[in-house]
Amino acid sequence: MSASIEKQTEAKEARFWDKLIRISMKEAGVAIALILILAFFSATAPYFATPENFLKIFVQIAINTVLAAGMTFVILVGGIDLSVGSLLALCTVIGATIMINPAFSPWQAIVLACLASMGTGAALGAVNGWICEKWKLPSFIVTLGMLNVASGLARVVSDNSTITGLPQPFVDFGNLIFWGIFPSIFMIAIVVVLIGWFVLRYTVFGRFVFAIGTNEEAVRLSGHQPKRYKIAVFTISGLTAGIAAMVYLLRLNVGSPVAGIGYELNAIAAVIIGGTSLSGGKGSIIGTLVGACILQVLSTGLQLLGADDNIKPIVIGAVIVLAVILDSYRGRLMRILETR
Amino acid sequence: MSASIEKQTEAKEARFWDKLIRISMKEAGVAIALILILAFFSATAPYFATPENFLKIFVQIAINTVLAAGMTFVILVGGIDLSVGSLLALCTVIGATIMINPAFSPWQAIVLACLASMGTGAALGAVNGWICEKWKLPSFIVTLGMLNVASGLARVVSDNSTITGLPQPFVDFGNLIFWGIFPSIFMIAIVVVLIGWFVLRYTVFGRFVFAIGTNEEAVRLSGHQPKRYKIAVFTISGLTAGIAAMVYLLRLNVGSPVAGIGYELNAIAAVIIGGTSLSGGKGSIIGTLVGACILQVLSTGLQLLGADDNIKPIVIGAVIVLAVILDSYRGRLMRILETR
Amino acid sequence: MSDAADDDILRLEGIGKRFPGVVALKDVSMRIGRGKGHVLLGENGAGKSTLINLLGGVFRPDDGHILFDGKPYHPASPLEAFKAGIRVIHQELHPLSNLTVAENLLFEHLPRRYGLVNYKAMNARAAELLEEVGLDVAPTTLASRLSVAQLQLVEIAKALCYESKLLVLDEPTATLTSKEVDRLFEILKRLKQRGVTTLYISHRLEEIFDVGDDVTVLRDGQHVITRPLSGLEIPEIVELMVGRKLADHGIFKGDSTVSGEALGVSGLKVTRNSPELSFSVGKGEIVGIAGLVGSGRTEAVRALFGADLKAAGEIRLNGEPVEINSPKDAVAAGLCLATEDRKMQGLMLDMSCAQNATITDLGKISRNGLINRKAEDDHSQRLVRELRIKTPSIHQAVRTFSGGNQQKVVIAKWLFRGPKVLIFDEPTRGIDVGAKAEIYELLWKFAAEGKGVLVVSSDLPELMGICHRIIVFSDGKIAGEIVREQFDESRILSLAYKEYSRVRQH
Amino acid sequence: AEKPKVGLIMKSLSNEFFKQMKAGADKYAAENKDKFDFKAVGMKDERDFASQVDAVENFVTQKYDIIVVAPADSKAMATPLAKAVKAGVKVINIDVPLDADAKKKAGIDLAFFGPDNKEGAKLAGDALAKDLGPGAKVVILEGNPEADNAKERKEGFMDSVKSGKLELLDSKTAHWETEEANTVMTNFLTKYKDIQGVMAANDSMALGVVKALDAAGQAGKIKVVGFDNIPPVQPLIKDGKMLATVEQYGAQMAVMGIDYGMRELAGEKFTGWVKTDVKLVTSADLK
Ligand SMILES: Nc1ncnc2c1ncn2[C@@H]1O[C@H](COP(=O)(O)OP(=O)(O)OP(=O)(O)O)[C@@H](O)[C@H]1O
Ligand SMILES: Nc1ncnc2c1ncn2[C@@H]1O[C@H](COP(=O)(O)OP(=O)(O)OP(=O)(O)O)[C@@H](O)[C@H]1O
Ligand SMILES: [Mg+2]
Ligand SMILES: [Mg+2]
């Protein structure tokens, strides 16, 4: 009798662990790779495992995390958004231009700039989505077009110059650190990620994002309009580009038409390393956060290790691939766990 | 009686035209956009419609055409290859290093360099494919890793410097012009495209490329190994990167670790504008050639028109999207033609 | 010993196969006699396709071993299966839609010369094969243009073009009408004369007597019995399959009173040049649509539902004209359509049963845009129970479901929405007898609730069993309408052929 | 006779330095509308010299008489410019000198009108050395490692390190970019606790450096020098957050290039290096 109870508790415990492992693996399985990388650098790189260093990594991670959060939505519906980098550039120059306009009080300027930056991003994102859906075009090429257009616009708006002199309250907020370790811009990024996570997991909209990524035609034939949701998803990606632009301004205090070059690939890499499938329908935004961490930790860790500038890209490229290879074993492991 | 014969001939003629239109539309429907663009610049841009200008466009087009030809294969099986730009860089520096090695006679050096360049490209392409297939990883992330690795290698090999002093016969061949208008490197590009076209259209391998892009599982169930073909396809893409590197050396006579930055997006854009579907299984390499032409003609035409540097990207971005929009109407037109 | 090896072409011993959360096959041992027509039966999810996938080299068994033609047989890939002489026509179609019919047919070994495709030889050979299965399309047609049934025929033709020792057919007739089925059986007979063994799976129990000598029944992944077919009756077989006696499902229960019009269609034109279609479905009435493969039934109901743009036509629901330009309009107006192709159009395969079932009406399980997990689980739990969907959990991805259970999920999602008029395109495709009976009960229940039901089916006996009225399509036109009292198989068939024979005459 | 046509080919226009160059050249051209026609082009990415080659070819197609060019690569641009010379175009090399070897191989002998990047960098480096005194610990932020001016500036900085007896802690590239410079500097601050001075190879990177110091509360304490004298750094110099930068008179350089081009067209011939000014800019200059 007691033996059977023992067995039951054991079984329950085993199940509990199974479940825990399974859930954490599902949401952020690539975290294993991150932990390995963190362990490696903590052991080898001087000053790596210090609070100050983590604070700095948090700062460095924020922009890509925000961009990648929006990108996760796009990739989940099976699209891609190459325009986020230059949308960011455009939004930084628009935001900065408004902020340094002497006609406004600092606070007015800040509020207006945030609205304009996020509005511009969202509007152009919506244009991306609308064109894709209206003519049924691949988002790759539409957003590639937008990449060029937005980068041209950024040059025109800024007249090719770096814009400085942002209002003091704004700069101060950018320097703020919460609880001694979390910089304000990191908090923004985390809030964005949490909202994204919540939306994807708990809302009807999130359900549609996954459903459309899995089988758009089935969603359409179930009496819905995937079109709307897809446009919304691109709008979100544009919006996060606008938010990322604000984060950029908070971090660097300058708006620049050449900001954000190549950021789209970084954001996409974070999403994919995080386990979201490029063909849509599968993935998690928490994974994206982990993916962004991997990319930045690698780069910072290598610098602290004193790696040669030429060797760095080689190591980063190799580790990106190793991380996804490791992640592929997670899939197998999960299958094994489940067939037990 | 005679009336009916007349009708028959009419019907035959009508069918002939239908067929011609349909075939040309299928192989290179986006050519309509190209023709419109050519007409526009001929009418507005000074010096545009001159033989010298076309000769220059042919020169400028060659590198992207070669890269895009290989990329067409990859995209047809539903993959993507982001590494071609930095593979090109790596191959230029390897090729150039060998060519300037005084231990070889010029001809030896040229042959060796060509082999090394194409061999390196093909080998690293094969590595891309092998990693993708071995662990079932998305090619996007694997080739993104390779992008970094190859670019680092190019820097290491060249020690960050531009390599000059290629042997004279090589330089001379690069300057060769056939029939007064076709530069040698354009001829190389055309040969690559024609071979690609032939392979895709007439060989068993070509059928496999389309079949795998359409339904990989079906190919597997038919008793084949899609894996092999996919590795072959990435090898082809790497090989064309190696060839493009030779074309680059022929054109610019220097090897450089920063050659090819951003070329991957250009190549992908050419392929997609040319009507090949990113999800695989549909497309044509002739379309790719047209796509590459559109991109280059646009950029040259705008410069001859004297467009502002800031406005140029805006126009290019817009026209890329317009071209694919126009192309989407072709699909509808074909459907109408067929349901007649 | 050697005797037995001579008699049996295939022997399975203690075969087991597990998937995440399910045991698909457990300790299955069976033999198949050389040169026999062997029928494999079982409910949905009994493990038939799994067994066949093991034979075809798609999966590997977890336990047990297989002897084929006297030799141990452990195929690691479909190619090895082909080499050993086993060919499989899979239940799920895998067309190469961007390739031509000829290329699809001969893809296993494209006629080639120096690595180049020999198009001439290929098209000629393909034309022969198409002729053989009676599929009237040009070899150069793109496979994407074929309907599901036509693809099924291509799949059959494909298996015929190479010699094999064992031919496995997993529900080849699910989408076929009697014309093609007859053709198929002729072919099978010819193969049998050549000494080819066939392993045949079907849920249409009437037809198995035409092709089978022996029968094996699986239940819940376990072997129940293998015996000669002769002397067996359908009710007996059904009992073996489901493990209990089943009420006769053939009895018509559409005793609801038909009153007024639920769905009215007038002047529906699928394309500009296609004929006008007009028909109606009464409240409480089940109307069947019969016709040959490619007669345009699917096209008509898709256009009606707004899934494809229609060229013209007026649609009335409960007498009120409704504007339907998209599935959204249709669903909002109270229509629903269970599509013919459940995999591509009906289901989100990688999502859970619960998520699939509730996609039609997320409003019911959410408040202020937030999903109420408990409501979702409760509702889907109820649907799973009502429809007896076989699954370890409502959170299981429907990709892992057997075909029949997938179909039930499609029905579940529309049941969840609660429409006024239900349109089913091949609702029992690939569904076992037990489930069929359940689905018929459901249709009658819908009718009894005063809803209109429109059923497209290629299974004529089925239509005759469940409908109040049958509309017969022929070459895109409505060739005639027959009420229950006058149901007669040969009459319906002659209507279905009507337009085609007229074309011939010209 | 027709007016001569003058084309100016720069590197990336989003680089402030070239923006100033273009502004100066445009202004000069507007004042001399009657003497010549003028067109300036920049590249999207300054590393992409292939598109600079395109631009040269396009000017040749359009029968330009004079091409004033700031080469994106000193070796690579020699051959295409030689082709232009052979096509009868007067080519004026400004900003970055073409590689001597490459010129010889291409069979051209062009004069160079431009600053000495090494000397300029040394000016900035020396200012830093003077401010900090011998033994001070410094780091360098390099430009694109393959770029000629980046290499020269690094050499200049290294000379200062040697002559000023500074201790060089580390030298890394930040690819001319603000954000990357910010990241690299932040990591330097983690790794080295006693940095006293920073030499940044351009002002865009200096902006990122200063921001990193700001965030660490070290602005003004750790001295920073930059290069290019772009407008956004001027307030930083005034506030003491930056010690100095280097002005290389981009506008003047282009105007000079155009002038010398016109003179070559008139039959004069120049060779060698016509040096243009480089000047250290400190808070004293900005009052
Ligand atoms: N790839 C898979 N992954 C997980 N489970 C699977 C997979 N394939 C089949 N199953 C499960 O194995 C069991 C047997 O399925 P199978 O497809 O063999 O049934 P079947 O007898 O062919 O049914 P049907 O008549 O409906 O086609 C089912 O419970 C099914 O859910
Ligand atoms: N995408 C398509 N493009 C062109 N023709 C098509 C397409 N889909 C179907 N057809 C053709 O339209 C006709 C009607 O097909 P439909 O699927 O409506 O027939 P059906 O009566 O439902 O038969 P089935 O039993 O095949 O479902 C067929 O001849 C088919 O070949
Ligand atoms: Mg089955
Ligand atoms: Mg049908």
Side-chain angles (χ1 to χ4, degrees):
Chain A
M1 186 61 204
S2 84
S4 106
I5 285 181
E6 220 165 70
K7 239 187 193 165
Q8 267 190 12
T9 357
E10 242 174 52
K12 235 186 196 164
E13 256 182 25
R15 238 179 301 139
F16 172 78
W17 282 108
D18 259 36
K19 214 176 159 185
L20 190 77
I21 294 175
R22 219 174 300 156
I23 287 183
S24 53
M25 276 197 171
K26 201 173 153 198
E27 282 285 345
V30 78
I32 300 168
L34 177 60
I35 291 168
L36 288 179
I37 294 171
L38 284 173
F40 173 76
F41 284 123
S42 300
T44 56
Y47 304 106
F48 183 84
T50 58
E52 305 92 71
N53 186 44
F54 277 97
L55 190 148
K56 279 161 194 177
I57 290 180
F58 289 149
V59 170
Q60 293 161 2
I61 235 165
I63 297 172
N64 192 23
T65 302
V66 174
L67 284 180
M71 186 70 78
T72 308
F73 281 83
V74 175
I75 293 184
L76 276 176
V77 298
I80 201 150
D81 189 347
L82 297 179
S83 67
V84 293
S86 60
L87 283 182
L88 177 138
L90 177 60
C91 294
T92 63
V93 297
I94 290 180
T97 310
I98 293 177
M99 277 201 224
I100 61 169
N101 188 329
F104 304 120
S105 77
W107 284 104
Q108 273 179 335
I110 292 171
V111 171
L112 269 178
C114 285
L115 290 179
S117 168
M118 285 155 62
T120 308
L124 292 182
V127 169
N128 274 335
W130 182 78
I131 295 178
C132 287
E133 288 306 306
K134 169 82 188 173
W135 287 282
K136 300 269 152 244
L137 302 180
S139 50
F140 194 99
I141 202 77
V142 173
T143 56
L144 183 66
M146 182 59 84
L147 183 160
N148 284 299
V149 171
S151 122
L153 286 177
R155 284 156 187 264
V156 171
V157 170
S158 66
D159 192 21
N160 274 322
S161 40
T162 310
I163 302 166
T164 52
L166 305 188
Q168 202 51 42
F170 188 79
V171 173
D172 290 342
F173 180 69
N175 289 336
L176 218 60
I177 291 167
F178 292 85
W179 303 295
I181 178 124
F182 297 118
S184 57
I185 59 173
F186 180 71
M187 299 301 283
I188 296 178
I190 289 297
V191 168
V192 170
V193 167
L194 285 180
I195 293 177
W197 176 78
F198 181 82
V199 168
L200 283 178
R201 208 172 147 77
Y202 293 106
T203 67
V204 171
F205 178 78
R207 174 63 56 84
F208 274 113
V209 170
F210 279 100
I212 291 170
T214 309
N215 189 342
E216 185 174 342
E217 182 65 2
V219 173
R220 192 178 76 93
L221 291 175
S222 299
H224 304 289
Q225 288 188 295
K227 212 165 140 171
R228 285 194 198 174
Y229 298 97
K230 285 174 89 179
I231 294 177
V233 155
F234 280 95
T235 311
I236 289 176
S237 178
L239 177 71
T240 53
I243 297 174
M246 282 294 128
V247 171
Y248 188 99
L249 288 178
L250 282 169
R251 177 176 165 204
L252 297 167
N253 306 152
V254 293
S256 157
V258 286
I261 289 179
Y263 284 18
E264 57 282 352
L265 282 187
N266 243 356
I268 297 170
V271 175
I272 301 180
I273 293 174
T276 296
S277 152
L278 258 182
S279 47
K282 263 184 212 167
S284 110
I285 209 165
I286 305 289
T288 298
L289 176 62
V290 177
C293 290
I294 288 183
L295 287 171
Q296 191 57 50
V297 165
L298 249 183
S299 143
T300 299
L302 283 174
Q303 198 191 328
L304 292 183
L305 257 189
D308 184 89
D309 278 333
N310 296 345
I311 303 294
K312 248 175 94 172
I314 302 181
V315 177
I316 291 180
V319 174
I320 289 177
V321 175
L322 282 177
V324 288
I325 288 180
L326 194 71
D327 196 36
S328 80
Y329 283 100
R330 161 178 71 110
R332 288 176 212 188
L333 196 60
M334 271 180 77
R335 239 167 290 140
I336 292 171
L337 270 179
E338 270 172 16
T339 45
R340 265 205 326 214
Chain B
M1 186 59 204
S2 84
S4 106
I5 284 180
E6 218 165 70
K7 239 189 192 163
Q8 267 189 11
T9 358
E10 240 173 53
K12 236 187 197 165
E13 257 182 23
R15 239 179 300 139
F16 172 78
W17 280 110
D18 258 35
K19 215 178 157 183
L20 191 78
I21 294 175
R22 220 174 299 156
I23 287 183
S24 53
M25 275 197 171
K26 202 176 151 197
E27 283 284 347
V30 77
I32 300 169
L34 177 59
I35 292 168
L36 289 179
I37 294 171
L38 284 173
F40 172 77
F41 284 122
S42 300
T44 55
Y47 303 103
F48 184 83
T50 59
E52 305 95 70
N53 185 45
F54 276 97
L55 192 146
K56 263 154 208 179
I57 290 180
F58 288 146
V59 169
Q60 291 161 1
I61 235 165
I63 297 171
N64 191 25
T65 302
V66 174
L67 285 180
M71 186 70 78
T72 308
F73 280 82
V74 175
I75 293 184
L76 275 176
V77 298
I80 200 151
D81 189 349
L82 297 179
S83 67
V84 293
S86 60
L87 284 183
L88 178 137
L90 177 60
C91 294
T92 64
V93 297
I94 289 180
T97 309
I98 293 177
M99 278 201 223
I100 62 168
N101 189 329
F104 305 121
S105 78
W107 283 106
Q108 274 180 335
I110 292 172
V111 171
L112 268 177
C114 285
L115 290 179
S117 167
M118 284 155 64
T120 308
L124 292 182
V127 170
N128 275 334
W130 181 76
I131 294 178
C132 287
E133 288 306 305
K134 168 81 187 172
W135 287 281
K136 301 267 153 249
L137 301 180
S139 51
F140 194 99
I141 202 77
V142 173
T143 56
L144 182 66
M146 182 60 85
L147 184 160
N148 284 299
V149 171
S151 122
L153 287 177
R155 285 171 185 279
V156 171
V157 171
S158 68
D159 194 20
N160 274 322
S161 44
T162 310
I163 303 167
T164 53
L166 305 189
Q168 202 52 44
F170 188 79
V171 173
D172 290 342
F173 179 69
N175 289 333
L176 218 61
I177 291 166
F178 293 85
W179 304 295
I181 178 126
F182 296 118
S184 57
I185 59 172
F186 180 70
M187 299 301 283
I188 295 178
I190 290 297
V191 168
V192 169
V193 167
L194 285 180
I195 293 177
W197 176 78
F198 181 82
V199 168
L200 283 178
R201 207 171 149 79
Y202 292 106
T203 67
V204 174
F205 177 78
R207 293 292 92 192
F208 273 100
V209 170
F210 279 98
I212 292 170
T214 308
N215 190 340
E216 189 173 336
E217 180 65 7
V219 174
R220 208 170 71 86
L221 288 177
S222 306
H224 302 289
Q225 288 189 293
K227 209 165 142 171
R228 287 193 200 173
Y229 298 95
K230 286 175 89 178
I231 294 177
V233 153
F234 280 95
T235 311
I236 289 177
S237 177
L239 177 71
T240 53
I243 299 175
M246 282 294 128
V247 171
Y248 189 97
L249 288 178
L250 283 168
R251 177 174 173 211
L252 297 167
N253 304 154
V254 294
S256 158
V258 288
I261 287 179
Y263 284 16
E264 57 281 351
L265 280 188
N266 243 356
I268 297 170
V271 174
I272 300 181
I273 293 174
T276 297
S277 150
L278 256 184
S279 47
K282 261 185 213 167
S284 111
I285 209 165
I286 306 289
T288 298
L289 175 63
V290 177
C293 290
I294 288 184
L295 287 171
Q296 190 59 49
V297 165
L298 250 183
S299 143
T300 303
L302 283 175
Q303 202 187 324
L304 292 184
L305 254 189
D308 185 88
D309 277 323
N310 297 344
I311 305 293
K312 250 174 88 172
I314 302 181
V315 176
I316 291 181
V319 175
I320 289 177
V321 175
L322 282 177
V324 286
I325 288 180
L326 193 71
D327 196 37
S328 80
Y329 284 100
R330 161 177 72 110
R332 287 177 214 188
L333 196 59
M334 272 181 74
R335 237 167 292 140
I336 291 170
L337 269 178
E338 269 173 16
T339 47
R340 263 202 327 212
Chain C
M1 207 37 225
S2 66
D3 250 21
D6 259 9
D7 282 353
D8 297 336
I9 188 149
L10 184 75
R11 282 217 256 170
L12 306 180
E13 263 151 45
I15 296 294
K17 177 75 192 170
R18 288 177 296 277
F19 290 113
V22 237
V23 178
L25 291 173
K26 196 158 75 193
D27 194 22
V28 172
S29 302
M30 64 178 280
R31 324 167 146 205
I32 295 179
R34 189 180 293 277
K36 293 280 176 59
H38 199 104
V39 178
L40 183 60
L41 298 177
E43 287 182 283
N44 290 132
K48 304 179 297 290
S49 300
T50 305
L51 187 71
I52 279 169
N53 283 330
L54 297 179
L55 293 179
V58 179
F59 302 142
R60 293 217 216 190
D62 296 326
D63 315 304
H65 47 258
I66 308 175
L67 274 179
F68 179 67
D69 212 8
K71 287 182 282 279
Y73 172 69
H74 298 284
S77 70
L79 182 62
E80 284 177 28
F82 294 171
K83 282 188 180 150
I86 296 187
R87 306 207 67 85
V88 179
I89 298 174
H90 287 279
Q91 179 176 21
E92 301 298 344
L93 299 173
H94 293 279
L96 297 165
S97 31
N98 292 334
L99 269 55
T100 66
V101 170
E103 285 165 343
N104 267 273
L105 277 172
L106 297 162
F107 196 76
E108 279 155 34
H109 191 85
L110 292 171
R112 64 187 84 192
R113 211 186 293 146
Y114 316 118
L116 305 187
V117 181
N118 185 342
Y119 280 99
K120 220 167 158 193
M122 181 180 77
N123 287 334
R125 179 82 183 101
E128 280 170 36
L129 289 166
L130 290 173
E131 175 72 40
E132 199 168 341
V133 293
L135 180 55
D136 187 20
V137 298
T140 49
T141 318
L142 279 185
S144 58
R145 315 221 150 260
L146 302 189
S147 68
V148 177
Q150 290 171 320
L151 286 172
Q152 182 72 62
L153 288 173
V154 168
E155 209 60 40
I156 293 169
K158 208 160 140 182
L160 298 179
C161 68
Y162 303 100
E163 279 304 314
S164 56
K165 293 180 190 153
L166 175 64
L167 178 62
V168 184
L169 302 100
D170 195 350
E171 297 193 37
T173 54
T175 55
L176 300 186
T177 48
S178 52
K179 182 180 105 182
E180 293 83 22
V181 174
D182 292 346
R183 194 69 166 250
L184 174 64
F185 289 175
E186 253 170 57
I187 295 168
L188 290 182
K189 259 180 217 137
R190 244 183 296 141
L191 287 176
K192 195 167 170 184
Q193 279 159 11
R194 277 195 256 157
V196 177
T197 312
T198 52
L199 180 57
Y200 190 90
I201 298 179
S202 178
H203 287 300
R204 293 192 184 170
L205 298 181
E206 319 82 52
E207 67 186 27
I208 61 172
F209 298 97
D210 295 338
V211 287
D213 303 308
D214 300 331
V215 61
T216 291
V217 177
L218 293 180
R219 192 194 310 145
D220 293 331
Q222 278 168 300
H223 181 255
V224 177
I225 196 171
T226 300
R227 57 158 288 180
L229 249 182
S230 57
L232 270 179
E233 298 281 334
I234 290 183
E236 230 175 311
I237 297 175
V238 171
E239 206 181 318
L240 286 171
M241 281 167 59
V242 296
R244 66 196 142 91
K245 268 211 154 54
L246 211 64
D248 189 353
H249 69 275
I251 299 166
F252 179 64
K253 289 209 204 115
D255 41 10
S256 53
T257 45
V258 179
S259 64
E261 183 191 72
L263 170 72
V265 176
S266 39
L268 177 70
K269 283 169 92 173
V270 177
T271 61
R272 233 178 314 146
N273 304 330
S274 58
E276 289 192 358
L277 304 170
S278 302
F279 56 88
S280 71
V281 180
K283 286 182 186 155
E285 188 182 29
I286 301 181
V287 174
I289 297 185
L292 300 179
V293 164
S295 57
R297 300 161 297 173
T298 298
E299 281 182 349
V301 292
R302 278 182 64 90
L304 156 61
F305 184 66
D308 298 323
L309 280 183
K310 58 176 186 283
E314 192 202 50
I315 293 157
R316 295 176 307 275
L317 266 177
N318 294 343
E320 298 285 314
V322 284
E323 188 65 33
I324 293 181
N325 292 317
S326 70
K328 182 177 196 279
D329 298 342
V331 172
L335 269 174
C336 79
L337 170 67
T339 51
E340 180 176 37
D341 185 342
R342 58 180 168 249
K343 241 173 75 176
M344 301 304 292
Q345 299 167 354
L347 294 170
M348 299 162 295
L349 288 175
D350 287 318
M351 294 179 82
S352 72
C353 170
Q355 291 172 333
N356 271 283
T358 53
I359 189 75
T360 47
D361 196 355
L362 288 168
K364 244 184 225 162
I365 55 156
S366 65
R367 193 183 294 163
N368 303 327
L370 297 186
I371 288 179
N372 177 345
R373 298 254 156 175
K374 184 157 181 315
E376 178 176 17
D377 288 359
D378 291 349
H379 277 292
S380 26
Q381 212 72 268
R382 174 177 59 82
L383 289 166
V384 164
R385 234 178 300 120
E386 266 176 38
L387 295 174
R388 287 199 239 166
I389 297 173
K390 207 191 246 166
T391 169
S393 139
I394 52 168
H395 301 300
Q396 188 90 9
V398 293
R399 178 182 291 284
T400 63
F401 284 25
S402 72
N405 281 308
Q406 288 183 348
Q407 184 68 31
K408 286 191 195 169
V409 176
V410 173
I411 295 176
K413 79 180 200 182
W414 289 119
L415 198 57
F416 183 62
R417 173 83 204 187
K420 297 181 196 132
V421 172
L422 299 97
I423 308 171
F424 291 93
D425 197 354
E426 310 282 1
T428 58
R429 177 180 163 209
I431 286 197
D432 68 40
V433 269
K436 262 185 200 168
E438 286 164 14
I439 287 172
Y440 299 155
E441 295 284 347
L442 279 170
L443 297 185
W444 285 318
K445 205 178 112 209
F446 291 141
E449 287 165 9
K451 291 173 174 165
V453 181
L454 188 61
V455 183
V456 176
S457 174
S458 298
D459 189 352
L460 203 46
E462 166 178 296
L463 281 184
M464 291 171 49
I466 58 170
C467 297
H468 292 93
R469 193 153 48 93
I470 294 180
I471 299 170
V472 187
F473 271 53
S474 185
D475 198 21
K477 300 191 183 78
I478 294 182
E481 238 183 72
I482 304 178
V483 291
R484 178 149 200 96
E485 294 71 43
Q486 295 161 4
F487 279 179
D488 170 38
E489 192 154 348
S490 59
R491 207 171 137 197
I492 296 176
L493 276 178
S494 70
L495 277 176
Y497 279 111
K498 190 167 130 194
E499 295 296 325
Y500 297 97
S501 46
R502 193 178 295 162
V503 170
R504 292 269 149 75
Q505 278 162 18
H506 273 270
Chain D
E2 254 188 45
K3 281 182 287 179
K5 290 198 274 190
V6 181
L8 170 63
I9 300 176
M10 291 161 295
K11 297 203 233 169
S12 172
L13 271 189
S14 38
N15 183 335
E16 295 267 353
F17 171 71
F18 289 106
K19 195 195 151 206
Q20 289 167 23
M21 178 183 282
K22 181 174 190 286
D26 278 338
K27 187 161 157 268
Y28 183 66
E31 287 162 3
N32 295 286
K33 257 199 264 180
D34 47 326
K35 300 210 186 87
F36 60 90
D37 284 332
F38 179 74
K39 173 81 198 140
V41 295
M43 304 299 110
K44 209 166 126 195
D45 183 330
E46 67 176 48
R47 292 168 298 186
D48 185 14
F49 53 80
S51 56
Q52 230 187 19
V53 175
D54 287 357
V56 173
E57 288 172 353
N58 286 336
F59 275 140
V60 175
T61 307
Q62 287 169 285
K63 315 234 182 309
Y64 270 60
D65 303 281
I66 298 167
I67 294 177
V68 179
V69 58
D73 185 297
S74 63
K75 291 175 182 165
M77 291 308 293
T79 319
L81 288 173
K83 282 187 195 165
V85 169
K86 274 169 208 147
V89 182
K90 297 293 171 205
V91 174
I92 301 297
N93 174 200
I94 60 169
D95 185 38
V96 171
L98 287 171
D99 184 74
D101 259 4
K103 271 198 283 191
K104 209 192 293 164
K105 283 215 184 82
I108 45 171
D109 180 24
L110 294 179
F112 170 58
F113 307 85
D116 186 340
N117 273 295
K118 195 170 155 186
E119 187 191 311
K122 185 145 191 319
L123 284 178
D126 286 348
L128 187 70
K130 204 175 110 205
D131 191 82
L132 296 176
K137 294 176 173 145
V138 297
V139 292
I140 296 177
L141 267 78
E142 307 165 26
N144 284 342
E146 73 290 340
D148 305 294
N149 50 353
K151 286 177 184 166
E152 284 163 14
R153 287 178 199 180
K154 187 181 174 192
E155 277 174 35
F157 287 149
M158 292 304 288
D159 282 354
S160 304
V161 167
K162 221 182 279 159
S163 65
K165 302 207 170 48
L166 301 175
E167 185 185 337
L168 181 66
L169 294 173
D170 211 334
S171 174
K172 283 266 171 322
T173 178
H175 299 105
W176 304 126
E177 281 170 17
T178 308
E179 196 236 17
E180 198 176 339
N182 183 270
T183 300
V184 171
M185 190 60 216
T186 311
N187 293 338
F188 277 157
L189 289 173
T190 307
K191 196 172 173 186
Y192 308 106
K193 302 299 178 193
D194 44 6
I195 300 176
Q196 290 166 280
V198 184
M199 306 184 204
N202 79 350
D203 280 345
S204 293
M205 292 193 288
L207 283 176
V209 168
V210 171
K211 178 61 206 180
L213 298 180
D214 245 341
Q218 300 270 33
K221 290 180 205 145
I222 295 178
K223 306 292 181 195
V224 182
V225 294
F227 204 107
D228 281 348
N229 191 24
I230 67 176
V233 299
Q234 288 165 1
L236 299 180
I237 294 178
K238 272 190 217 157
D239 294 354
K241 289 182 173 179
M242 247 178 97
L243 184 67
T245 186
V246 177
E247 169 69 63
Q248 47 173 345
Y249 303 103
Q252 249 170 276
M253 206 187 300
V255 169
M256 194 171 142
I258 296 170
D259 270 347
Y260 279 98
M262 298 294 283
R263 282 164 67 182
E264 285 218 347
L265 202 61
E268 275 182 78
K269 177 78 191 144
F270 302 95
T271 51
W273 184 350
V274 182
K275 271 198 196 182
T276 56
D277 292 340
V278 284
K279 182 172 168 283
L280 189 72
V281 178
T282 60
S283 57
D285 301 289
L286 293 171
K287 289 219 169 94

